[in-house]
Amino acid sequence: MDKGLIPARYAKALYEVALERKDAENMYAVMCRLSDVFNAEPTLASTIANPFVSETDKISLLHTASGLAVGEDATFDDFLKLLAENRRIDILRDIARAYTDIYRRSNGIFNVSVTSAAPLSDEALKRLEAIIDKETGGGTYEYNFTVDPALIGGFTVTVNNRRLDASVASQLEALRHVLIG
């Protein structure tokens, strides 16, 4: 079975239960926090996958990572219990990603990543936001801004899975390919 299919099924089931319990937005915030923690702390995934770490310790660690105390959110507690019973706790990182994707699609939220060679001015940000709004037809946007001097100049924008590369580095690379052959 496809590795992405199992997390997607769990994420969909979690989303449906969270909707029924009117907890979908809160669960979205929890899954975003978990994704951020998994990205910031690479050892978390290996610890969760470690068969020598008890399920109780894994659940406790995931509560800490989520920012929720045990018993604070019944939906999250029940979900972790289900994952532990089915020995699927090790795929929570992928489930969190899938859940955030489902929630964003269902609620018209666009994930926008902007990488620029230098910090963008307020005026440039407003122009960029207007362009993104026009291209996507409107909606809600979650922005993630980073600075990467390797771009030399310009920027890249990724909206969901669509990417615009207006960086000097990519233009130089394209020119190099044209000149080489």
Side-chain angles (χ1 to χ4, degrees):
M1 191 174 266
D2 182 14
K3 281 181 120 177
L5 185 60
I6 295 170
R9 286 183 178 170
Y10 275 94
K12 183 178 180 194
L14 175 60
Y15 181 69
E16 289 171 359
V17 168
L19 278 175
E20 287 174 15
R21 295 181 177 184
K22 298 188 183 345
D23 197 27
E25 185 176 354
N26 178 58
M27 195 53 48
Y28 174 67
V30 170
M31 291 297 130
C32 285
R33 275 195 305 273
L34 279 174
S35 289
D36 290 344
V37 172
F38 273 114
N39 290 335
E41 192 56 53
T43 57
L44 179 59
S46 59
T47 302
I48 298 303
N50 187 332
F52 297 108
V53 176
S54 73
E55 296 298 315
T56 305
D57 288 342
K58 290 176 184 181
I59 288 173
S60 176
L61 182 60
L62 290 168
H63 270 99
T64 301
S66 71
L68 295 172
V70 176
E72 189 175 339
D73 186 301
T75 305
F76 187 63
D77 291 344
D78 292 346
F79 188 65
L80 287 182
K81 202 178 305 178
L82 174 73
L83 291 178
E85 288 171 4
N86 293 330
R87 301 224 180 269
R88 297 287 190 190
I89 223 162
D90 60 319
I91 63 170
L92 184 57
R93 179 183 200 161
D94 295 327
I95 294 169
R97 286 182 189 154
Y99 184 93
T100 57
D101 289 345
I102 291 167
Y103 185 87
R104 286 179 182 136
R105 267 193 315 273
S106 298
N107 292 282
I109 300 172
F110 295 94
N111 188 18
V112 181
S113 297
V114 179
T115 305
S116 58
L120 297 173
S121 67
D122 289 341
E123 183 182 320
L125 284 175
K126 286 179 184 173
R127 285 194 319 244
L128 188 59
E129 288 171 355
I131 291 168
I132 291 168
D133 193 48
K134 181 181 176 186
E135 288 296 316
T136 59
T140 304
Y141 305 97
E142 291 180 349
Y143 286 94
N144 178 26
F145 296 98
T146 56
V147 174
D148 182 2
L151 294 179
I152 303 170
F155 57 88
T156 64
V157 177
T158 305
V159 180
N160 291 344
N161 291 326
R162 292 178 31 201
R163 182 179 166 119
L164 166 68
D165 191 340
S167 67
V168 172
S170 71
Q171 292 171 4
L172 288 173
E173 183 64 20
L175 181 60
R176 185 179 79 79
H177 285 288
V178 168
L179 293 174
I180 290 175

